[in-house]
Amino acid sequence: MNLVECSYRFRFYPTAQQAELLNRTFGCVRVVYNRARALRKAAWTEHKERSGFLQTNAMLTALKKDPAFAWLKEVSSVPLQQCLRHLEAAYQRFFLKRARYPQFRRKDSRQSAEFTKSGFTYRNGTLTLAKMTEPLAVIWSRALPGEPSTVTVIRELDGRWYIACRVVASIEPLSGGSTVGIDLGLTSLAVLSTGEKIANPRHLSKHQKRLTREQRRLARKQKSSRNRTKAKLKLARAHAAVRHARQDFLHKLSRRLISENQVIAVETLSIGGMLRAKRHSRAIADASWGELLRQLTYKATWYGRTLVQVDRFYPSTKTCSACGTTGHALTLADRAWVCPHCGAHHDRDHNAAQNILAAGLAVTACGGDVSPGVPRHPGQSSMKQELTP
Protein backbone atom coordinates (compact mmCIF):
# COMPACT_ATOMS: atom_id res chain seq x y z
CA MET A 1 0.00 0.00 0.00
CA ASN A 2 1.23 3.48 -0.89
CA LEU A 3 0.33 6.37 1.40
CA VAL A 4 -0.14 9.44 -0.79
CA GLU A 5 -1.42 12.92 -0.07
CA CYS A 6 -4.21 13.82 -2.46
CA SER A 7 -7.04 16.30 -2.75
CA TYR A 8 -10.75 15.57 -3.14
CA ARG A 9 -12.89 18.29 -4.63
CA PHE A 10 -16.61 18.64 -3.95
CA ARG A 11 -19.23 21.19 -4.83
CA PHE A 12 -21.28 22.86 -2.10
CA TYR A 13 -24.13 25.34 -1.89
CA PRO A 14 -23.69 28.00 0.81
CA THR A 15 -26.55 29.83 2.43
CA ALA A 16 -26.82 33.60 2.07
CA GLN A 17 -25.13 34.14 5.45
CA GLN A 18 -22.36 31.65 4.66
CA ALA A 19 -21.73 33.18 1.24
CA GLU A 20 -21.53 36.66 2.79
CA LEU A 21 -19.01 35.49 5.40
CA LEU A 22 -16.91 33.64 2.82
CA ASN A 23 -16.89 36.65 0.48
CA ARG A 24 -15.65 38.82 3.35
CA THR A 25 -13.01 36.20 4.08
CA PHE A 26 -11.86 36.30 0.46
CA GLY A 27 -11.59 40.07 0.66
CA CYS A 28 -9.55 39.96 3.88
CA VAL A 29 -7.24 37.28 2.44
CA ARG A 30 -6.73 39.36 -0.68
CA VAL A 31 -5.90 42.52 1.29
CA VAL A 32 -3.44 40.76 3.60
CA TYR A 33 -1.74 38.95 0.71
CA ASN A 34 -1.35 42.11 -1.39
CA ARG A 35 -0.05 44.21 1.51
CA ALA A 36 2.44 41.49 2.44
CA ARG A 37 3.61 41.25 -1.13
CA ALA A 38 4.01 45.06 -1.30
CA LEU A 39 5.94 45.00 1.99
CA ARG A 40 8.41 42.42 0.73
CA LYS A 41 8.84 44.25 -2.55
CA ALA A 42 9.43 47.61 -0.88
CA ALA A 43 11.86 46.17 1.67
CA TRP A 44 14.09 44.90 -1.09
CA THR A 45 13.85 47.79 -3.57
CA GLU A 46 14.27 50.55 -0.96
CA HIS A 47 16.51 49.01 1.70
CA LYS A 48 17.87 45.85 0.08
CA GLU A 49 16.49 43.86 2.99
CA ARG A 50 14.94 40.42 2.75
CA SER A 51 11.53 39.94 4.32
CA GLY A 52 10.00 36.56 5.05
CA PHE A 53 7.09 34.99 6.84
CA LEU A 54 8.10 36.42 10.23
CA GLN A 55 8.06 40.02 8.96
CA THR A 56 4.73 39.62 7.13
CA ASN A 57 3.22 37.90 10.16
CA ALA A 58 4.26 40.85 12.33
CA MET A 59 2.64 43.14 9.75
CA LEU A 60 -0.62 41.17 10.07
CA THR A 61 -0.54 41.53 13.87
CA ALA A 62 -0.06 45.28 13.56
CA LEU A 63 -2.91 45.53 11.05
CA LYS A 64 -5.34 43.82 13.41
CA LYS A 65 -4.46 46.33 16.14
CA ASP A 66 -5.16 49.23 13.80
CA PRO A 67 -8.77 50.50 14.27
CA ALA A 68 -8.97 51.17 10.52
CA PHE A 69 -8.57 47.41 9.90
CA ALA A 70 -10.86 46.16 12.66
CA TRP A 71 -12.85 44.24 10.04
CA LEU A 72 -9.98 41.75 9.79
CA LYS A 73 -11.12 40.34 13.17
CA GLU A 74 -14.59 39.55 11.81
CA VAL A 75 -13.30 36.54 9.87
CA SER A 76 -11.25 33.54 10.88
CA SER A 77 -7.54 34.22 11.38
CA VAL A 78 -6.55 30.84 9.89
CA PRO A 79 -6.90 31.74 6.17
CA LEU A 80 -5.07 35.03 6.83
CA GLN A 81 -2.11 33.13 8.24
CA GLN A 82 -2.25 30.60 5.42
CA CYS A 83 -2.15 33.23 2.69
CA LEU A 84 1.14 34.49 4.15
CA ARG A 85 2.51 30.96 3.96
CA HIS A 86 1.33 30.73 0.37
CA LEU A 87 3.15 33.98 -0.41
CA GLU A 88 6.31 32.59 1.15
CA ALA A 89 5.98 29.42 -0.97
CA ALA A 90 5.43 31.55 -4.09
CA TYR A 91 8.66 33.44 -3.43
CA GLN A 92 10.55 30.19 -2.88
CA ARG A 93 9.33 28.86 -6.23
CA PHE A 94 10.45 32.11 -7.83
CA PHE A 95 13.90 31.91 -6.28
CA LEU A 96 14.22 28.33 -7.56
CA LYS A 97 13.25 29.59 -11.05
CA ARG A 98 10.20 27.37 -11.12
CA ALA A 99 7.61 30.16 -11.36
CA ARG A 100 7.33 33.84 -12.19
CA TYR A 101 7.46 36.65 -9.64
CA PRO A 102 4.41 36.62 -7.31
CA GLN A 103 1.62 38.86 -8.56
CA PHE A 104 -1.06 40.79 -6.70
CA ARG A 105 -4.38 39.05 -6.20
CA ARG A 106 -7.31 40.54 -8.08
CA LYS A 107 -10.89 40.95 -6.98
CA ASP A 108 -12.33 39.79 -10.30
CA SER A 109 -10.39 36.51 -10.43
CA ARG A 110 -10.82 33.10 -8.84
CA GLN A 111 -11.05 33.40 -5.04
CA SER A 112 -9.85 30.88 -2.45
CA ALA A 113 -9.17 30.59 1.27
CA GLU A 114 -7.45 27.70 3.04
CA PHE A 115 -8.44 26.44 6.49
CA THR A 116 -6.26 24.16 8.60
CA LYS A 117 -7.59 21.82 11.30
CA SER A 118 -7.97 24.68 13.76
CA GLY A 119 -10.28 26.44 11.34
CA PHE A 120 -12.89 23.76 10.64
CA THR A 121 -14.72 20.83 12.22
CA TYR A 122 -15.29 17.59 10.33
CA ARG A 123 -17.56 15.16 12.15
CA ASN A 124 -19.94 12.43 10.91
CA GLY A 125 -19.68 13.54 7.30
CA THR A 126 -20.42 17.20 8.02
CA LEU A 127 -18.04 20.11 7.57
CA THR A 128 -18.35 23.33 9.57
CA LEU A 129 -15.94 26.22 9.08
CA ALA A 130 -14.84 28.68 11.73
CA LYS A 131 -17.21 31.57 12.49
CA MET A 132 -20.12 29.50 11.12
CA THR A 133 -22.99 28.01 13.11
CA GLU A 134 -24.28 25.64 10.41
CA PRO A 135 -22.38 23.03 8.38
CA LEU A 136 -21.84 23.50 4.67
CA ALA A 137 -24.26 21.80 2.28
CA VAL A 138 -21.59 19.70 0.56
CA ILE A 139 -22.43 17.22 -2.18
CA TRP A 140 -20.26 14.30 -1.04
CA SER A 141 -19.94 12.48 -4.37
CA ARG A 142 -17.59 9.96 -2.73
CA ALA A 143 -16.47 9.17 0.77
CA LEU A 144 -13.27 10.67 2.09
CA PRO A 145 -10.62 8.04 2.97
CA GLY A 146 -9.77 9.93 6.16
CA GLU A 147 -10.11 13.17 8.05
CA PRO A 148 -8.91 16.15 5.97
CA SER A 149 -5.83 18.04 7.11
CA THR A 150 -6.75 21.21 5.24
CA VAL A 151 -9.89 22.46 3.53
CA THR A 152 -9.73 25.06 0.75
CA VAL A 153 -12.89 26.99 -0.13
CA ILE A 154 -13.00 28.07 -3.77
CA ARG A 155 -15.32 30.40 -5.62
CA GLU A 156 -14.86 30.07 -9.37
CA LEU A 157 -15.50 32.86 -11.85
CA ASP A 158 -18.64 31.08 -13.03
CA GLY A 159 -20.18 31.50 -9.56
CA ARG A 160 -19.84 27.86 -8.47
CA TRP A 161 -18.53 27.03 -4.98
CA TYR A 162 -16.16 24.14 -4.27
CA ILE A 163 -14.18 22.75 -1.37
CA ALA A 164 -10.90 20.88 -1.79
CA CYS A 165 -10.11 18.49 1.08
CA ARG A 166 -6.51 17.35 1.42
CA VAL A 167 -6.25 13.86 2.90
CA VAL A 168 -3.77 10.99 3.14
CA ALA A 169 -5.08 7.98 1.21
CA SER A 170 -3.86 4.39 0.89
CA ILE A 171 -3.56 3.34 -2.75
CA GLU A 172 -2.98 -0.23 -3.85
CA PRO A 173 -0.20 -0.44 -6.50
CA LEU A 174 -1.19 -1.94 -9.82
CA SER A 175 0.48 -5.08 -11.16
CA GLY A 176 0.95 -6.43 -14.64
CA GLY A 177 0.64 -4.53 -17.87
CA SER A 178 2.73 -3.97 -20.97
CA THR A 179 5.00 -1.20 -22.23
CA VAL A 180 4.04 1.71 -24.45
CA GLY A 181 5.63 4.72 -26.10
CA ILE A 182 3.61 7.88 -26.67
CA ASP A 183 4.14 10.48 -29.39
CA LEU A 184 2.15 13.65 -28.73
CA GLY A 185 0.78 15.73 -31.59
CA LEU A 186 -2.01 17.94 -32.82
CA THR A 187 -3.62 15.91 -35.60
CA SER A 188 -3.85 13.04 -33.13
CA LEU A 189 -3.47 13.97 -29.49
CA ALA A 190 -1.39 10.85 -28.85
CA VAL A 191 -0.13 8.03 -31.05
CA LEU A 192 0.84 4.87 -29.16
CA SER A 193 3.59 2.47 -30.11
CA THR A 194 0.90 -0.18 -30.47
CA GLY A 195 -0.44 1.72 -33.49
CA GLU A 196 -3.48 3.19 -31.74
CA LYS A 197 -4.22 6.81 -32.49
CA ILE A 198 -6.11 8.86 -29.89
CA ALA A 199 -8.01 11.63 -31.62
CA ASN A 200 -7.54 15.21 -30.52
CA PRO A 201 -10.93 16.30 -29.09
CA ARG A 202 -10.22 20.02 -29.73
CA HIS A 203 -12.46 21.23 -26.91
CA LEU A 204 -11.73 24.90 -27.53
CA SER A 205 -12.62 24.69 -31.22
CA LYS A 206 -15.95 23.03 -30.41
CA HIS A 207 -16.94 25.87 -28.06
CA GLN A 208 -15.28 28.71 -29.98
CA LYS A 209 -18.54 29.99 -31.47
CA ARG A 210 -20.16 30.26 -28.04
CA LEU A 211 -17.09 31.90 -26.53
CA THR A 212 -16.92 34.47 -29.32
CA ARG A 213 -20.60 35.32 -28.95
CA GLU A 214 -20.40 35.79 -25.18
CA GLN A 215 -17.19 37.83 -25.49
CA ARG A 216 -18.82 40.21 -27.97
CA ARG A 217 -21.87 40.61 -25.75
CA LEU A 218 -19.62 41.41 -22.80
CA ALA A 219 -17.71 44.03 -24.81
CA ARG A 220 -20.93 45.90 -25.59
CA LYS A 221 -22.05 46.17 -21.96
CA GLN A 222 -21.49 49.34 -19.98
CA LYS A 223 -18.77 49.08 -17.34
CA SER A 224 -19.86 48.64 -13.71
CA SER A 225 -23.40 47.78 -14.79
CA ARG A 226 -25.44 44.77 -13.72
CA ASN A 227 -25.78 43.61 -17.31
CA ARG A 228 -22.00 43.55 -17.61
CA THR A 229 -21.80 41.41 -14.48
CA LYS A 230 -24.33 38.99 -15.94
CA ALA A 231 -22.47 38.85 -19.27
CA LYS A 232 -19.18 38.23 -17.47
CA LEU A 233 -20.78 35.33 -15.60
CA LYS A 234 -22.05 33.77 -18.84
CA LEU A 235 -18.60 34.06 -20.41
CA ALA A 236 -17.01 32.46 -17.35
CA ARG A 237 -19.45 29.54 -17.56
CA ALA A 238 -18.59 29.07 -21.23
CA HIS A 239 -14.89 28.88 -20.37
CA ALA A 240 -15.67 26.51 -17.48
CA ALA A 241 -17.45 24.14 -19.87
CA VAL A 242 -14.27 23.93 -21.97
CA ARG A 243 -12.06 23.46 -18.92
CA HIS A 244 -14.22 20.74 -17.37
CA ALA A 245 -14.51 18.79 -20.62
CA ARG A 246 -10.75 18.94 -21.13
CA GLN A 247 -9.98 17.84 -17.57
CA ASP A 248 -12.45 14.97 -17.75
CA PHE A 249 -10.96 13.69 -21.00
CA LEU A 250 -7.35 13.93 -19.79
CA HIS A 251 -8.08 12.21 -16.47
CA LYS A 252 -9.79 9.30 -18.21
CA LEU A 253 -6.97 8.99 -20.74
CA SER A 254 -4.16 9.15 -18.18
CA ARG A 255 -5.92 6.65 -15.91
CA ARG A 256 -6.35 4.23 -18.78
CA LEU A 257 -2.68 4.47 -19.83
CA ILE A 258 -1.54 3.92 -16.24
CA SER A 259 -3.87 0.94 -15.77
CA GLU A 260 -2.82 -0.86 -18.94
CA ASN A 261 0.96 -0.32 -18.94
CA GLN A 262 3.80 -1.00 -16.55
CA VAL A 263 6.32 1.23 -18.40
CA ILE A 264 5.30 4.41 -20.21
CA ALA A 265 7.81 6.33 -22.33
CA VAL A 266 7.08 9.92 -23.35
CA GLU A 267 9.12 12.69 -24.87
CA THR A 268 10.23 15.73 -22.88
CA LEU A 269 8.69 18.80 -24.46
CA SER A 270 9.51 22.49 -24.15
CA ILE A 271 5.87 23.51 -24.09
CA GLY A 272 6.65 27.07 -23.01
CA GLY A 273 8.89 27.51 -26.04
CA MET A 274 6.29 26.05 -28.37
CA LEU A 275 3.59 28.35 -27.02
CA ARG A 276 5.65 31.34 -28.16
CA ALA A 277 5.09 30.26 -31.77
CA LYS A 278 1.97 32.14 -32.84
CA ARG A 279 1.05 29.67 -35.56
CA HIS A 280 0.29 26.73 -33.27
CA SER A 281 0.04 28.30 -29.81
CA ARG A 282 -3.76 28.07 -29.51
CA ALA A 283 -3.87 24.45 -30.70
CA ILE A 284 -1.04 23.47 -28.34
CA ALA A 285 -2.73 25.14 -25.37
CA ASP A 286 -6.00 23.40 -26.25
CA ALA A 287 -4.28 20.00 -26.45
CA SER A 288 -2.85 20.47 -22.91
CA TRP A 289 0.19 18.23 -23.31
CA GLY A 290 1.67 19.58 -20.10
CA GLU A 291 -1.44 18.67 -18.08
CA LEU A 292 -1.45 15.17 -19.55
CA LEU A 293 2.22 14.67 -18.63
CA ARG A 294 1.57 16.05 -15.13
CA GLN A 295 -1.25 13.58 -14.55
CA LEU A 296 0.81 10.68 -15.88
CA THR A 297 3.68 11.67 -13.57
CA TYR A 298 1.79 11.67 -10.27
CA LYS A 299 -0.45 8.73 -11.16
CA ALA A 300 2.59 6.64 -12.07
CA THR A 301 4.01 7.40 -8.62
CA TRP A 302 0.72 6.52 -6.93
CA TYR A 303 0.23 3.19 -8.65
CA GLY A 304 3.84 2.01 -8.83
CA ARG A 305 4.29 2.47 -12.57
CA THR A 306 7.44 3.63 -14.39
CA LEU A 307 7.27 6.82 -16.44
CA VAL A 308 10.35 7.51 -18.58
CA GLN A 309 10.89 10.87 -20.24
CA VAL A 310 13.06 10.80 -23.36
CA ASP A 311 15.21 13.78 -24.28
CA ARG A 312 13.35 16.19 -26.56
CA PHE A 313 16.29 16.29 -29.01
CA TYR A 314 16.24 12.55 -29.60
CA PRO A 315 15.47 12.18 -33.36
CA SER A 316 12.45 9.94 -32.90
CA THR A 317 10.73 11.08 -36.10
CA LYS A 318 13.71 10.78 -38.46
CA THR A 319 14.93 7.42 -37.16
CA CYS A 320 13.83 4.15 -38.73
CA SER A 321 12.38 1.91 -36.02
CA ALA A 322 13.19 -1.20 -38.11
CA CYS A 323 16.90 -0.78 -38.93
CA GLY A 324 17.87 2.12 -36.66
CA THR A 325 19.26 4.44 -39.32
CA THR A 326 18.68 8.13 -38.65
CA GLY A 327 19.00 11.51 -40.32
CA HIS A 328 16.37 10.92 -42.99
CA ALA A 329 15.17 14.06 -44.75
CA LEU A 330 11.50 14.57 -43.89
CA THR A 331 9.19 17.53 -44.20
CA LEU A 332 6.01 18.30 -42.29
CA ALA A 333 3.98 17.05 -45.25
CA ASP A 334 5.57 13.58 -45.06
CA ARG A 335 3.07 11.75 -42.86
CA ALA A 336 4.27 8.39 -44.22
CA TRP A 337 7.68 7.49 -45.58
CA VAL A 338 9.79 4.53 -46.71
CA CYS A 339 13.24 3.90 -45.27
CA PRO A 340 15.79 3.98 -48.12
CA HIS A 341 18.05 1.49 -46.30
CA CYS A 342 15.73 -1.36 -45.35
CA GLY A 343 12.59 -0.48 -47.33
CA ALA A 344 10.31 -0.45 -44.27
CA HIS A 345 7.13 1.59 -44.66
CA HIS A 346 6.44 3.89 -41.68
CA ASP A 347 3.61 6.01 -40.46
CA ARG A 348 5.35 9.14 -39.18
CA ASP A 349 3.79 9.28 -35.70
CA HIS A 350 3.67 5.51 -35.13
CA ASN A 351 7.36 5.25 -36.01
CA ALA A 352 8.18 8.06 -33.56
CA ALA A 353 6.20 6.32 -30.79
CA GLN A 354 8.10 3.08 -31.38
CA ASN A 355 11.44 4.90 -31.20
CA ILE A 356 10.37 6.68 -28.01
CA LEU A 357 9.49 3.33 -26.44
CA ALA A 358 12.87 1.83 -27.45
CA ALA A 359 14.73 4.84 -26.04
CA GLY A 360 12.67 4.72 -22.84
CA LEU A 361 13.43 1.04 -22.31
CA ALA A 362 17.13 1.81 -22.85
CA VAL A 363 16.96 4.51 -20.18
CA THR A 364 15.23 2.08 -17.81
CA ALA A 365 17.90 -0.57 -18.39
CA CYS A 366 20.88 1.80 -18.10
CA GLY A 367 19.65 3.86 -15.17
CA GLY A 368 17.45 6.80 -14.40
CA ASP A 369 20.16 9.40 -15.09
CA VAL A 370 20.89 8.18 -18.59
CA SER A 371 19.33 10.16 -21.43
CA PRO A 372 19.35 8.84 -25.01
CA GLY A 373 19.12 12.39 -26.37
CA VAL A 374 21.65 13.88 -28.74
CA PRO A 375 23.77 16.91 -27.79
CA ARG A 376 22.12 20.25 -28.41
CA HIS A 377 23.94 22.43 -30.89
CA PRO A 378 24.07 26.23 -30.69
CA GLY A 379 21.01 27.76 -32.27
CA GLN A 380 19.05 24.51 -32.19
CA SER A 381 15.35 25.16 -31.72
CA SER A 382 13.45 23.94 -28.66
CA MET A 383 10.37 23.32 -30.79
CA LYS A 384 8.88 19.90 -31.33
CA GLN A 385 10.11 18.28 -34.53
CA GLU A 386 6.63 17.98 -35.97
CA LEU A 387 5.99 21.70 -35.46
CA THR A 388 9.28 23.13 -36.71
CA PRO A 389 8.76 24.83 -40.11
Side-chain angles (χ1 to χ4, degrees):
M1 299 292 289
N2 293 332
L3 293 178
V4 298
E5 190 177 45
C6 54
S7 179
Y8 290 79
R9 183 168 164 142
F10 306 95
R11 190 175 178 184
F12 75 98
Y13 299 87
T15 63
Q17 294 78 9
Q18 291 174 343
E20 193 271 337
L21 176 59
L22 290 175
N23 286 326
R24 282 193 286 125
T25 303
F26 293 149
C28 294
V29 167
R30 187 172 60 252
V31 168
V32 171
Y33 185 94
N34 290 342
R35 294 183 72 90
R37 190 265 190 192
L39 173 67
R40 297 185 62 150
K41 178 71 174 180
W44 177 254
T45 55
E46 297 176 5
H47 308 287
K48 299 301 179 182
E49 297 178 355
R50 291 186 178 272
S51 298
F53 175 76
L54 294 179
Q55 289 75 13
T56 55
N57 194 31
M59 178 213 68
L60 176 59
T61 303
L63 279 180
K64 287 187 175 183
K65 295 180 180 179
D66 189 347
F69 291 89
W71 39 269
L72 289 176
K73 300 179 181 179
E74 299 176 0
V75 301
S76 174
S77 62
V78 175
L80 304 183
Q81 293 279 346
Q82 289 300 105
C83 78
L84 298 180
R85 293 186 173 91
H86 294 165
L87 179 63
E88 177 68 20
Y91 270 98
Q92 293 300 325
R93 289 192 296 269
F94 169 73
F95 294 145
L96 296 175
K97 298 183 179 181
R98 294 167 51 190
R100 64 176 184 172
Y101 193 82
Q103 303 295 310
F104 289 111
R105 291 191 177 183
R106 298 174 53 183
K107 184 178 181 179
D108 58 349
S109 63
R110 175 179 178 270
Q111 303 295 313
S112 64
E114 186 179 69
F115 294 79
T116 57
K117 283 190 175 182
S118 60
F120 68 89
T121 303
Y122 178 77
R123 185 180 298 112
N124 299 327
T126 60
L127 180 66
T128 306
L129 299 179
K131 302 285 187 177
M132 291 186 181
T133 57
E134 299 179 357
L136 297 177
V138 183
I139 306 300
W140 301 103
S141 55
R142 50 182 171 175
L144 288 177
E147 184 177 352
S149 58
T150 62
V151 170
T152 303
V153 182
I154 304 168
R155 192 193 69 198
E156 296 286 359
L157 285 176
D158 56 3
R160 295 184 175 95
W161 295 80
Y162 298 91
I163 59 168
C165 302
R166 184 181 300 173
V167 298
V168 176
S170 299
I171 296 182
E172 184 72 27
L174 299 175
S175 59
S178 57
T179 59
V180 68
I182 304 176
D183 178 67
L184 301 175
L186 295 179
T187 304
S188 297
L189 179 64
V191 178
L192 309 184
S193 57
T194 58
E196 179 184 359
K197 293 187 177 182
I198 300 173
N200 187 356
R202 302 183 186 274
H203 300 286
L204 183 61
S205 299
K206 292 179 181 179
H207 296 79
Q208 189 62 52
K209 185 176 181 180
R210 179 188 176 188
L211 292 171
T212 303
R213 181 177 66 250
E214 299 298 341
Q215 184 65 53
R216 287 176 177 174
R217 289 177 177 175
L218 174 63
R220 290 194 293 264
K221 298 297 185 293
Q222 183 179 357
K223 291 186 177 181
S224 303
S225 64
R226 290 189 176 182
N227 286 335
R228 184 176 179 85
T229 303
K230 295 177 183 178
K232 187 181 296 185
L233 182 62
K234 291 183 179 180
L235 179 61
R237 289 178 177 175
H239 280 289
V242 179
R243 183 173 64 253
H244 294 165
R246 183 185 295 121
Q247 285 288 333
D248 180 72
F249 174 81
L250 293 178
H251 274 294
K252 291 178 179 177
L253 176 59
S254 60
R255 172 62 183 183
R256 176 200 154 194
L257 293 174
I258 292 294
S259 300
E260 296 178 353
N261 302 281
Q262 179 65 40
V263 178
I264 302 174
V266 296
E267 53 186 339
T268 304
L269 300 176
S270 176
I271 299 177
M274 287 186 284
L275 288 176
R276 287 192 288 269
K278 297 182 179 179
R279 182 177 180 181
H280 302 286
S281 58
R282 177 179 293 184
I284 294 174
D286 188 20
S288 295
W289 295 336
E291 176 63 16
L292 177 59
L293 295 177
R294 186 191 71 86
Q295 293 182 11
L296 288 174
T297 300
Y298 80 79
K299 290 180 182 181
T301 304
W302 284 8
Y303 296 101
R305 299 303 200 180
T306 302
L307 180 69
V308 185
Q309 293 191 354
V310 178
D311 192 282
R312 78 179 66 133
F313 301 111
Y314 177 74
S316 59
T317 301
K318 299 181 179 181
T319 300
C320 176
S321 58
C323 63
T325 57
T326 187
H328 301 289
L330 298 177
T331 64
L332 287 175
D334 298 327
R335 309 313 302 176
W337 58 283
V338 178
C339 178
H341 295 272
C342 64
H345 184 274
H346 297 296
D347 176 84
R348 181 192 186 99
D349 299 328
H350 182 210
N351 175 71
Q354 289 180 315
N355 289 326
I356 291 173
L357 174 60
L361 295 177
V363 171
T364 305
C366 298
D369 296 333
V370 179
S371 173
V374 296
R376 183 177 183 181
H377 302 287
Q380 187 173 0
S381 173
S382 62
M383 297 291 289
K384 195 173 186 293
Q385 282 182 302
E386 285 73 5
L387 300 180
T388 305

